Amino acid sequence: MIKNYLRSAFRNISKHKFISFINISGLTIGLTCCLLILTYIIKEVSYDKFNTNAKDIYRVTRSFNSADGAVNLHLGAVAPPFGPLLKNEFPDIKKVTRVYPNSGVTLRYKEKLFNEKGSCFADENFFDFFTVKTVKGNPKTALKDPFCVMLTEDLARKYFGDDDPMNKEIRFGNQFNFKVTGIYKALPANSQLHPQMLMSFNTLNDTTVYGKKNLETNWGNNSFYTYLMFPPNYNVAHVVSQFPAFLNKYMPPNGDGSTNKPSDGTKLSLQRLLDIHLHSHLDSEIEDNGDIKRVYIFSAIALFILLIACINYMNLSTARSTLRAKEIGIRKVIGAQQKEIIVQFLGESVFITYLSLVLAFLLTALSLPAINKVSELGLSINSLLQPVILLPVLILPFIIGIISGIYPAIFMSSFNPSKVLKGMLKVGGGGVSFRKVLVVTQFSVSIILIVATTIVFQQLQYIQKKSLGFNKDHIITIGEVSANMFESFKTDLLKNPEIKNMGRSSRLPSGRLLDDQGISVFESGASLPVKADVKYINADYGFIPTYGIRMAAGRNFSRDFGTDSNNYIINTAAVKVLGWKTPDNAIGRNIIYGGVTGKVVGVINDFHFESLHQNIIPLLMRMPAFANSNYGRVSIKVDGHNVKAAISTIEQVWKKYQPETPFEYTFLDERFQKLYNAEQQQAQLFTIFSCIAIFIACLGLFGLSAFTISQRVKEIGVRKVLGASVQQIVTELSKDFLKLVIIAAVIALPIAWYAMNKWLLDFAFRINIQWWVLAMAGIVAVIIAFLTISYQSIKAALANPVKSLRSE
């Protein structure tokens, strides 16, 4: 029987090649989209699961409260004393490990000199938490002694070639020699951290590096990512509930004269290791994380496209039902039961779906390289071949085949054989109504995707064009220059006409503003603490002119004023929270910031230091009091007409003053562009999936129009005989379908408006959804639908009426 069904399926595919091609194409494209999205979802939800004890590992986070109790800062890292103290205080904690990232370091081995990123100081039990394969060395002892380092295979090969790197010394920052005590395989892509080298945490005990006392008493440097391991299935809420008492016991008093306890101003929390990648978006993360919202969005898109593909199959199957009516009639006459005919058609449906799945796997394998190139996601088809994934994927076509084929099977098996064989088959209105609902569903989804794609692109365009309050173009950023050489370095650079200006700062625009030391204002001779957060950066007198930031009142820092190391510049947002009416009112006012009293000498206009996801926050600038203070980063404004020459000049001067540090640079505008990579990827993928959804929906509409027009052939013939024009017939045939698309638009547009408004809430600065965007999406859908229908309508209108009326 199965052999007979397969033979029948092959016969029908070869007999109705065009319809079968459309059927298989629709399902193949739909399944391909699902497989592509599935590879993305598998990767996103797999983060950190490779770690043996992942379910029992938690990360300690720290939040800070403003005076009104609201959380104003939440960090994924904590101060160094917390780790050991937590282990001693709570015996249920099995192990603690700390990771202290190093933003960058210069490494030298013989003549090889490179800047390296991705280095971390790590506790000796790091490998008990993170399951990493060690190639050489003992993972239990490799990080035990100070000034030891473990390298990834690639990094070891970069410096040592084919030589054995074990026990060789490598120079760090032209200051310290580290001995190589191990080589390990790089952590997989689905890890939340990817250190290229691990330096022993005990190195930090050295006072020339960090200092043991600092590790035990520095509560302000929240840069240490601290992980706790608990027994299996342990209820961590028991420990978390004791954190306030723990803070009050070990942390020193606030020092501001208040009676507030440490736990009033700061809080510790725990995050599951497995939740960090998709659910954690704190103010400091060791690497950029994903977003569970994106997983939900693309999961919904996959289901929608699969739904459209199934609807498409239903419509096309019923559209060709009249072509198989006599076959069904004959089968019934010779004794076939309705149940057997249903099983036959369901078997054909499942067969076609499995055939589509095979083709979908091939398309997925072929398209993944292009998808990876566009999205930089590093997706792999191997993720689909895991038994736990492959088995459900192989079952899926059976389910899809049944869902897609059940309606056509029941519909066609219900044909009356006597009417079929007499040529009197009339398709009931109920079936047509159901197919209309399917088409409305298809186009509703397509219109939602059209609106979503348009809004995402509009928001990205808004981000790119919005004034940031400074000029980010033609600014090159480089690492710090030794403070005692900076003025000479700057003088040499500014001798060249392609160098316009330069300045130093502790943070660069495009980064986060995280530093806050508390602020008070003087009113009526008294110091009054301000219940607001004012972040700060260190900036020299060259920073503001380099970025073209406008002064709202007062002046910039100047070398001509020796007291400027005790003075401050604030933005207009800070003026408001400090209670002053205008920028001019702020000039000359005394404030205390971080315990240092100084005057406000300037007010700058608000500008977007952070991404447009963030509101503009109160900001204070100060110039460090010490002549030899390092700022961290240097920004250089260059001539936009001669950028290559400017880079060459900077490199030459850099090598003169910093010969032991390789020259590296970035463009500021590229840093801002990277802030919106996720949205760029989203826009590109939305566009692809929107086009696919519309294409499949049009296939379904094509099937329904073919079905309906085939039922109205004689009516069209009569209309032509009575004098109807081609235009009138096309209009008559098209209007019913266009009504369906208009109904779809009425349903889809409010849903799309609501969904995209929710998406835009992630941006502090965003567009308003214009009415014409919604109208355009509806009009585009109508036009696409009309073009799809037109082929069938015009073909029917141009047909010779004699042929259709011959049997009458």
Side-chain angles (χ1 to χ4, degrees):
M1 184 179 288
I2 294 175
K3 185 178 180 181
N4 183 49
Y5 289 160
L6 287 174
R7 187 186 300 116
S8 177
F10 276 115
R11 187 189 307 124
N12 279 291
I13 289 173
S14 60
K15 185 177 180 181
H16 308 293
K17 292 184 178 65
F18 182 65
I19 294 294
S20 298
F21 171 76
I22 295 176
N23 248 335
I24 294 170
S25 297
L27 281 173
T28 299
I29 294 170
L31 286 168
T32 301
C33 290
C34 289
L35 292 178
L36 288 171
I37 292 174
L38 183 59
T39 60
Y40 165 74
I41 294 171
I42 290 169
K43 181 187 175 184
E44 290 297 289
V45 301
S46 70
Y47 266 74
D48 292 310
K49 287 184 178 178
F50 66 91
N51 296 302
T52 304
N53 300 305
K55 292 181 180 180
D56 305 320
I57 298 172
Y58 290 77
R59 183 176 72 173
V60 185
T61 70
R62 185 179 184 185
S63 59
F64 295 84
N65 302 331
S66 56
D68 60 2
V71 175
N72 60 60
L73 186 67
H74 195 172
L75 303 176
V78 298
F82 282 118
L85 290 175
L86 284 168
K87 178 69 175 68
N88 293 334
E89 185 73 10
F90 302 104
D92 287 345
I93 298 175
K94 290 173 62 178
K95 297 177 183 179
V96 174
T97 199
R98 290 170 292 179
V99 176
Y100 180 43
N102 193 353
S103 58
V105 65
T106 302
L107 295 188
R108 176 186 283 279
Y109 178 72
K110 295 183 178 179
E111 300 304 315
K112 294 180 179 179
L113 180 68
F114 298 101
N115 287 327
E116 297 294 350
K117 296 177 181 178
S119 61
C120 294
F121 289 95
D123 270 320
E124 58 188 276
N125 62 352
F126 175 86
F127 295 100
D128 294 341
F129 285 74
F130 299 96
T131 306
V132 185
K133 184 176 180 181
T134 305
V135 179
K136 291 185 178 182
N138 185 343
K140 298 290 184 184
T141 59
L143 295 175
K144 185 176 181 179
D145 297 327
F147 297 100
C148 290
V149 64
M150 297 183 72
L151 309 176
T152 61
E153 290 178 297
D154 288 342
L155 201 62
R157 199 174 297 113
K158 179 177 179 179
Y159 285 91
F160 300 100
D162 296 329
D163 294 343
D164 185 0
M166 293 296 289
N167 297 315
K168 289 187 169 63
E169 290 191 340
I170 193 165
R171 185 86 170 156
F172 276 64
N174 202 30
Q175 288 181 287
F176 309 105
N177 290 328
F178 278 72
K179 183 171 71 172
V180 178
T181 53
I183 307 297
Y184 62 94
K185 286 190 175 294
L187 275 80
N190 59 342
S191 171
Q192 62 153 306
L193 71 167
H194 297 89
Q196 296 299 302
M197 68 184 86
L198 295 170
M199 300 169 284
S200 60
F201 198 90
N202 286 328
T203 305
L204 296 175
N205 288 318
D206 192 296
T207 53
T208 59
V209 182
Y210 193 85
K212 185 177 181 180
K213 185 177 180 181
N214 265 336
L215 289 174
E216 295 172 348
T217 61
N218 187 340
W219 298 95
N221 183 10
N222 295 286
S223 303
F224 293 75
Y225 292 87
T226 303
Y227 301 88
L228 312 179
M229 186 184 297
F230 290 90
N233 303 315
Y234 184 80
N235 183 8
V236 297
H238 173 68
V239 170
V240 173
S241 65
Q242 300 177 64
F243 279 167
F246 166 81
L247 292 171
N248 297 332
K249 178 179 179 180
Y250 289 103
M251 286 190 68
N254 292 330
D256 57 3
S258 69
T259 58
N260 291 339
K261 295 176 290 187
S263 61
D264 294 330
T266 189
K267 176 184 176 184
L268 294 183
S269 305
L270 294 181
Q271 281 182 328
R272 290 177 71 240
L273 180 69
L274 296 177
D275 290 341
I276 291 174
H277 178 69
L278 288 178
H279 299 275
S280 181
H281 304 95
L282 305 184
D283 294 303
S284 70
E285 296 285 358
I286 198 164
E287 290 185 13
D288 292 338
N289 286 331
D291 191 341
I292 192 65
K293 291 179 185 176
R294 285 202 292 273
V295 172
Y296 290 151
I297 287 170
F298 286 111
S299 297
I301 289 175
L303 290 175
F304 284 148
I305 289 179
L306 191 57
L307 174 64
I308 291 173
C310 291
I311 291 171
N312 175 49
Y313 180 84
M314 293 180 194
N315 282 333
L316 289 171
S317 295
T318 52
R320 67 172 183 171
S321 62
T322 53
L323 301 177
R324 301 187 65 179
K326 289 187 178 180
E327 173 197 338
I328 297 165
I330 292 170
R331 283 181 180 272
K332 283 194 169 186
V333 167
I334 61 176
Q337 299 296 314
Q338 183 177 13
K339 182 175 70 173
E340 293 173 333
I341 294 173
I342 290 174
V343 171
Q344 176 194 337
F345 284 119
L346 286 178
E348 290 181 15
S349 176
V350 170
F351 171 75
I352 288 173
T353 311
Y354 271 105
L355 178 60
S356 299
L357 179 67
V358 173
L359 296 174
F361 263 103
L362 292 174
L363 269 181
T364 300
L366 293 172
S367 56
L368 269 178
I371 294 288
N372 285 330
K373 188 174 182 180
V374 171
S375 64
E376 299 179 353
L377 290 172
L379 305 178
S380 171
I381 198 169
N382 291 333
S383 61
L384 299 174
L385 303 180
Q386 306 171 64
V388 69
I389 301 296
L390 187 59
L391 184 60
V393 168
L394 292 177
I395 294 173
L396 184 64
F398 179 80
I399 298 170
I400 293 172
I402 297 297
I403 293 172
S404 302
I406 191 68
Y407 169 67
I410 294 173
F411 173 74
M412 288 188 280
S413 67
S414 66
F415 289 170
N416 187 316
S418 61
K419 290 184 179 181
V420 168
L421 296 177
K422 290 178 182 179
M424 298 169 59
L425 175 65
K426 299 290 182 184
V427 179
V432 175
S433 297
F434 181 65
R435 286 189 295 278
K436 288 179 179 179
V437 170
L438 298 181
V439 171
V440 168
T441 303
Q442 284 182 310
F443 272 89
S444 294
V445 173
S446 300
I447 291 169
I448 289 171
L449 289 175
I450 291 172
V451 173
T453 302
T454 306
I455 297 301
V456 171
F457 271 107
Q458 282 189 328
Q459 177 64 16
L460 287 173
Q461 194 174 43
Y462 170 79
I463 288 169
Q464 291 164 356
K465 292 185 177 180
K466 179 172 171 55
S467 172
L468 299 177
F470 66 92
N471 188 353
K472 70 178 185 301
D473 297 327
H474 310 130
I475 291 181
I476 294 172
T477 64
I478 60 175
E480 67 180 5
V481 178
S482 298
N484 57 353
M485 301 181 182
F486 180 76
E487 290 302 329
S488 299
F489 176 83
K490 182 174 182 178
T491 301
D492 276 5
L493 268 184
L494 291 177
K495 290 177 183 177
N496 300 276
E498 59 269 20
I499 308 299
K500 299 300 181 184
N501 218 323
M502 62 187 297
R504 294 176 291 174
S505 59
S506 56
R507 292 185 181 271
L508 289 174
S510 75
R512 294 300 309 276
L513 291 168
L514 303 177
D515 306 313
D516 181 3
Q517 294 189 349
I519 189 168
S520 302
V521 298
F522 280 99
E523 294 291 344
S524 303
S527 169
L528 302 176
V530 176
K531 293 182 178 181
D533 299 303
V534 179
K535 307 298 183 183
Y536 82 91
I537 61 168
N538 293 331
D540 71 1
Y541 56 87
F543 180 82
I544 289 175
T546 297
Y547 281 87
I549 301 169
R550 295 182 178 277
M551 302 296 303
R555 63 173 177 82
N556 183 23
F557 294 130
S558 172
R559 282 183 295 181
D560 299 331
F561 293 86
T563 58
D564 268 359
S565 58
N566 288 327
N567 291 332
Y568 303 108
I569 293 174
I570 59 177
N571 65 356
T572 53
V575 171
K576 294 174 184 175
V577 299
L578 294 177
W580 300 321
K581 293 183 179 179
T582 67
D584 289 321
N585 293 147
I587 302 303
R589 295 288 190 104
N590 286 317
I591 60 175
I592 302 174
Y593 195 83
V596 178
T597 302
K599 290 185 181 296
V600 176
V601 297
V603 177
I604 54 175
N605 287 327
D606 287 338
F607 68 97
H608 292 277
F609 195 99
E610 301 176 301
S611 84
L612 295 181
H613 288 97
Q614 315 296 330
N615 283 307
I616 294 176
I617 60 177
L619 176 66
L620 175 145
M621 294 182 184
R622 66 184 188 185
M623 251 188 357
F626 305 105
N628 290 335
S629 292
N630 288 320
Y631 286 77
R633 301 294 294 178
V634 178
S635 302
I636 304 172
K637 184 75 172 182
V638 302
D639 184 354
H641 297 97
N642 207 356
V643 175
K644 285 187 177 180
I647 293 172
S648 177
T649 298
I650 297 169
E651 183 175 11
Q652 290 174 16
V653 178
W654 174 274
K655 288 180 177 179
K656 175 181 175 181
Y657 289 93
Q658 304 282 131
E660 290 298 316
T661 306
F663 174 69
E664 288 184 351
Y665 66 92
T666 58
F667 287 99
L668 187 73
D669 56 354
E670 292 178 354
R671 291 173 62 92
F672 270 95
Q673 190 67 27
K674 288 179 181 178
L675 295 176
Y676 311 108
N677 276 350
E679 286 77 18
Q680 293 279 10
Q681 292 173 3
Q682 220 166 354
Q684 291 166 341
L685 293 174
F686 267 173
T687 303
I688 294 169
F689 292 129
S690 295
C691 292
I692 290 170
I694 293 166
F695 174 72
I696 298 175
C698 287
L699 286 179
L701 189 61
F702 182 89
L704 184 58
S705 63
F707 172 82
T708 305
I709 291 171
S710 70
Q711 301 300 304
R712 299 177 67 181
V713 170
K714 290 181 181 178
E715 175 197 334
I716 296 167
V718 171
R719 287 179 180 274
K720 290 197 74 174
V721 169
L722 294 176
S725 66
V726 171
Q727 182 180 351
Q728 289 173 321
I729 292 173
V730 170
T731 303
E732 178 65 27
L733 293 174
S734 301
K735 66 181 183 181
D736 289 338
F737 298 110
L738 297 182
K739 284 178 186 176
L740 299 180
V741 181
I742 292 170
I743 292 170
V746 171
I747 294 171
L749 293 179
I751 297 172
W753 178 86
Y754 175 79
M756 294 315 295
N757 258 323
K758 294 282 287 183
W759 180 80
L760 287 169
L761 289 177
D762 285 340
F763 295 86
F765 297 86
R766 53 187 176 266
I767 62 169
N768 293 315
I769 299 177
Q770 303 295 323
W771 66 267
W772 62 264
V773 173
L774 304 178
M776 180 206 68
I779 292 169
V780 167
V782 169
I783 291 172
I784 292 172
F786 179 74
L787 293 174
T788 303
I789 300 161
S790 294
Y791 170 77
Q792 295 286 349
S793 301
I794 294 171
K795 181 181 176 183
L798 293 175
N800 188 343
V802 174
K803 293 182 179 179
S804 60
L805 299 175
R806 184 177 296 159
S807 62
E808 301 294 324

